[in-house]
Amino acid sequence: AQKVTQAQTEISVVEKEDVTLDCVYETRDTTYYLFWYKQPPSGELVFLIRRNSFDEQNEISGRYSWNFQKSTSSFNFTITASQVVDSAVYFCALIMMDSSYKLIFGSGTRLLVRP
Amino acid sequence: DGGITQSPKYLFRKEGQNVTLSCEQNLNHDAMYWYRQDPGQGLRLIYYSQIVNDFQKGDIAEGYSVSREKKESFPLTVTSAQKNPTAFYLCASTSRGNGPARYEQYFGPGTRLTVT
């Protein structure tokens, strides 16, 4: 079965701390794509990153970095030197590689960054 | 600016009434999706459409209906048959061109529906 698990329901940190959001997935597909989205209080989902199953290199974008490990079926997201504006719900998602190409979402992790 | 618009942002209805949520995109995307989000949960797929005049049920289609008469528009009707319609509804679209970007879904701002 295709499944995404985000075990951390809510994380609270103080500004400037580093924080890692965990994502574990299950899939039968040999080729697949994983995503992270950010949902600020306004509600709109903002695309952060796409990673395919062939590329296990870590990726860094400013204060954001992602660690993809196929061996443990994990795709973790780290925010370095967190800021109040990072407060949001973060979703990890896996795409169904059938005719629908629908996204299978985890339940999300609510991140609260306190000043 | 290209993007996805959903209107209205907030919608209130009485139980037993049908209500239609609007979704329009000017990204020239082929595929469009409707997701439902409940508090503390991820998104679940209601319906999707890969091309005009064609659409497929998602995981939780009961009590909902859609149409795709134009490429730009994919309205969702929440019928009185939907047992728990109060939720946040998000529309998304994606191109079907070449390359891995075709898997990226772009989301609208959402409509928060409250039925009492």
Side-chain angles (χ1 to χ4, degrees):
Chain A
Q2 320 282 86
K3 186 179 176 183
V4 175
T5 301
Q6 294 180 257
Q8 304 152 309
T9 304
E10 189 164 324
I11 300 175
S12 180
V13 299
V14 176
E15 204 170 18
K16 297 197 176 100
E17 283 186 23
D18 298 348
V19 58
T20 295
L21 310 181
D22 298 333
C23 173
V24 174
Y25 63 93
E26 296 174 33
T27 180
R28 294 185 299 263
D29 296 320
T30 52
T31 300
Y32 52 90
Y33 290 82
L34 295 159
F35 302 80
W36 275 95
Y37 284 87
K38 174 182 179 179
Q39 187 177 43
S42 60
E44 183 171 353
L45 260 69
V46 178
F47 167 80
L48 294 178
I49 191 171
R50 175 194 73 240
R51 176 50 51 97
N52 73 55
S53 52
F54 296 128
D55 184 1
E56 290 197 64
Q57 281 195 345
N58 290 338
E59 181 153 345
I60 299 174
S61 176
R63 297 184 296 107
Y64 295 171
S65 62
W66 290 269
N67 183 298
F68 174 42
Q69 294 205 349
K70 219 168 171 178
S71 60
T72 56
S73 296
S74 65
F75 186 41
N76 297 337
F77 172 32
T78 296
I79 301 175
T80 304
S82 60
Q83 298 177 2
V84 172
V85 294
D86 295 326
S87 296
V89 180
Y90 291 86
F91 290 98
C92 180
L94 167 71
I95 197 164
M96 286 286 288
M97 300 302 287
D98 59 12
S99 60
S100 73
Y101 297 111
K102 72 178 183 184
L103 290 171
I104 307 295
F105 284 87
S107 55
T109 297
R110 182 176 299 276
L111 174 65
L112 175 63
V113 182
R114 309 187 309 276
Chain B
D1 286 336
I4 301 174
T5 56
Q6 291 185 245
S7 60
K9 180 75 171 173
Y10 299 94
L11 194 51
F12 298 89
R13 280 294 181 271
K14 295 288 188 185
E15 198 173 322
Q17 292 179 337
N18 290 356
V19 59
T20 297
L21 281 58
S22 162
C23 177
E24 304 278 332
Q25 54 98 359
N26 60 4
L27 300 165
N28 199 32
H29 283 175
D30 298 296
M32 298 185 72
Y33 300 79
W34 274 106
Y35 292 90
R36 169 184 171 136
Q37 184 180 18
D38 294 284
Q41 297 188 33
L43 282 67
R44 293 179 292 166
L45 182 67
I46 305 172
Y47 267 98
Y48 66 98
S49 168
Q50 304 283 26
I51 56 173
V52 175
N53 293 322
D54 186 56
F55 47 83
Q56 307 295 329
K57 291 182 180 179
D59 301 316
I60 55 166
E62 187 175 345
Y64 299 98
S65 66
V66 293
S67 64
R68 186 87 187 275
E69 296 175 3
K70 297 186 300 182
K71 189 176 184 178
E72 306 79 28
S73 178
F74 191 39
L76 173 74
T77 297
V78 185
T79 75
S80 56
Q82 167 51 232
K83 298 286 184 258
N84 298 296
T86 295
F88 187 50
Y89 292 87
L90 285 152
C91 178
S93 71
T94 185
S95 70
R96 282 287 173 254
N98 295 323
R102 68 185 184 273
Y103 302 123
E104 292 172 16
Q105 291 188 18
Y106 292 90
F107 286 81
T111 292
R112 195 167 298 279
L113 173 65
T114 302
V115 177
T116 57

